[in-house]
Amino acid sequence: MLSYFLRRLLMAIPVMFFVAVFVFLLLRLTPGDPAQAIAGDQASLAQLEAIRDSLGLNDPLSVQFLTWIGNMAQGDFGRSLISDRPVLEMIGQRLGPTVALALVAMALTLMIALPMGVLAAWRHGGLTDRLVMAVSVIGFSVPIFVIGYVLIGVLAVNLRWFPVQGYKALSEGIGPFAHRIFLPGLALASIYIALISRMTRASMLEVLREDYVRTARAKGLPEGIVLFRHALRNAAIPILTVIGTGFAMMISGVVVTETVFNIPGLGRLVVDAVLARDYPLIQAIILLTAGTYVLINLLIDLSYALTDPRIRYQ
């Protein structure tokens, strides 16, 4: 198992390197000038040239890239071109709301999607199955921002159960935190509820045909124990894969949700950085997002190694 995990870990190194090269070249080759964003529209050509020299933007691309990689190897991700603050400090200040939103959305997803998928498989071909599939289609088809505005219109504006926008940290109390995070969490969870419920249904349909499930029923075990203890446990590996990748997608896909609900997280920071052509900040956020994907995939591979004896004893 150790050799299996080390192979997966070594494979992550070239992935991160190619992500760094792609992000660097993409930002440098797209139209826009950070010096113009810093100096404003009234700046002279001499002022713009002086800003580019001070930022190293006039250096060859190879020199800029090697300097950036060398600084990152020492833990220095650079300073923001606009605010002149360390980008890791800026990311750290915005990371809390984004992680909280992703965790709440994933918790809501698991609480809703797993029972939906199990019930759909248990009542395969019936009304419950059709309703779950209809909800899944809606979740896949409707954009998150539309679901967000519908939730705001119904639950916040008309019924006044929740605030329209804003965010409260958990340190300010679990009540205010839950009251403000529920709507954006539900909006973000909508597409993942559709995805995981469908995957759960498909995996459960395969497992429910197995002999050990029929044996468990023949022994007179309650149907809930058969479904959740025996069938769902053995159908868990593909579901865990989707859950892991879904969580990584949530962290990287919160831009729309945070914009709709005015949450000061990484999504809003990305939008501001892109508009300002803040190269160091954009590069750091994308690399950390890619690192999150790689880490979660490594954890999924480790879960395979722990559950599959063919890998465990390699």
Side-chain angles (χ1 to χ4, degrees), residues 223-304:
E223 193 67 14
I225 293 178
V226 173
L227 290 174
F228 288 95
R229 182 178 299 178
H230 295 278
L232 183 59
R233 180 182 298 177
N234 288 281
I237 289 181
I239 299 172
L240 286 175
T241 302
V242 176
I243 290 173
T245 55
F247 184 70
M249 291 168 62
M250 280 182 179
I251 293 180
S252 61
V254 296
V255 175
V256 174
T257 308
E258 290 184 352
T259 302
V260 170
F261 289 93
N262 195 27
I263 296 176
L266 282 181
R268 294 286 302 281
L269 187 63
V270 168
V271 173
D272 295 341
V274 169
L275 293 176
R277 307 290 300 174
D278 197 335
Y279 289 160
L281 186 54
I282 300 171
Q283 291 168 172
I285 292 174
I286 294 177
L287 275 183
L288 290 176
T289 302
T292 302
Y293 270 98
V294 170
L295 177 61
I296 289 178
N297 280 318
L298 284 174
L299 294 176
I300 293 172
D301 290 339
L302 183 60
S303 70
Y304 284 157

Side-chain angles (χ1 to χ4, degrees), residues 35-306:
Q36 188 75 57
I38 294 172
D41 296 333
Q42 305 301 321
S44 65
L45 292 178
Q47 290 174 322
L48 293 177
E49 196 65 23
I51 293 174
R52 294 190 192 101
D53 283 333
S54 66
L55 298 176
L57 298 177
N58 287 332
D59 295 336
L61 289 180
S62 58
V63 174
Q64 295 183 47
F65 179 74
L66 292 175
T67 301
W68 177 52
I69 291 294
N71 290 337
M72 281 199 305
Q74 302 174 31
D76 180 10
F77 281 73
R79 304 181 73 86
S80 169
L81 300 183
I82 306 302
S83 65
D84 197 33
R85 294 170 54 198
V87 296
L88 287 184
E89 176 185 320
M90 298 177 67
I91 292 172
Q93 290 179 346
R94 299 291 192 96
L95 187 61
T98 297
V99 173
L101 176 59
L103 289 175
V104 169
M106 181 54 68
L108 291 172
T109 298
L110 297 180
M111 291 168 58
I112 298 171
L114 291 180
M116 282 175 57
V118 172
L119 288 175
W122 183 42
R123 298 298 186 186
H124 177 55
L127 178 61
T128 302
D129 188 18
R130 293 191 180 94
L131 286 175
V132 170
M133 290 301 97
V135 171
S136 298
V137 170
I138 294 172
F140 277 122
S141 304
V142 182
I144 289 179
F145 73 89
V146 173
I147 294 176
Y149 284 126
V150 170
L151 291 175
I152 289 174
V154 175
L155 300 180
V157 176
N158 292 336
L159 298 178
R160 299 186 179 182
W161 290 352
F162 300 95
V164 174
Q165 292 180 328
Y167 173 77
K168 292 287 187 180
L170 187 59
S171 58
E172 299 181 52
I174 190 169
F177 168 78
H179 195 218
R180 289 185 177 270
I181 204 70
F182 179 79
L183 279 190
L186 186 59
L188 181 59
S190 58
I191 187 172
Y192 303 103
I193 291 173
L195 176 64
I196 293 175
S197 63
R198 288 176 70 93
M199 177 58 69
T200 303
R201 174 184 178 273
S203 299
M204 286 289 293
L205 284 175
E206 293 183 9
V207 171
L208 289 175
R209 300 187 184 101
E210 298 294 334
D211 292 337
Y212 60 83
V213 174
R214 287 194 290 268
T215 302
R217 284 171 170 162
K219 289 181 177 179
L221 292 178
E223 193 67 14
I225 293 178
V226 173
L227 290 174
F228 288 95
R229 182 178 299 178
H230 295 278
L232 183 59
R233 180 182 298 177
N234 288 281
I237 289 181
I239 299 172
L240 286 175
T241 302
V242 176
I243 290 173
T245 55
F247 184 70
M249 291 168 62
M250 280 182 179
I251 293 180
S252 61
V254 296
V255 175
V256 174
T257 308
E258 290 184 352
T259 302
V260 170
F261 289 93
N262 195 27
I263 296 176
L266 282 181
R268 294 286 302 281
L269 187 63
V270 168
V271 173
D272 295 341
V274 169
L275 293 176
R277 307 290 300 174
D278 197 335
Y279 289 160
L281 186 54
I282 300 171
Q283 291 168 172
I285 292 174
I286 294 177
L287 275 183
L288 290 176
T289 302
T292 302
Y293 270 98
V294 170
L295 177 61
I296 289 178
N297 280 318
L298 284 174
L299 294 176
I300 293 172
D301 290 339
L302 183 60
S303 70
Y304 284 157
L306 293 174

Side-chain angles (χ1 to χ4, degrees), residues 8-32:
R8 292 295 186 272
L9 185 61
L10 290 175
M11 289 171 60
I13 296 175
V15 171
M16 293 301 298
F17 177 78
F18 284 119
V19 169
V21 173
F22 176 77
V23 170
F24 180 86
L25 292 178
L26 179 66
L27 292 176
R28 276 9 182 235
L29 298 178
T30 51

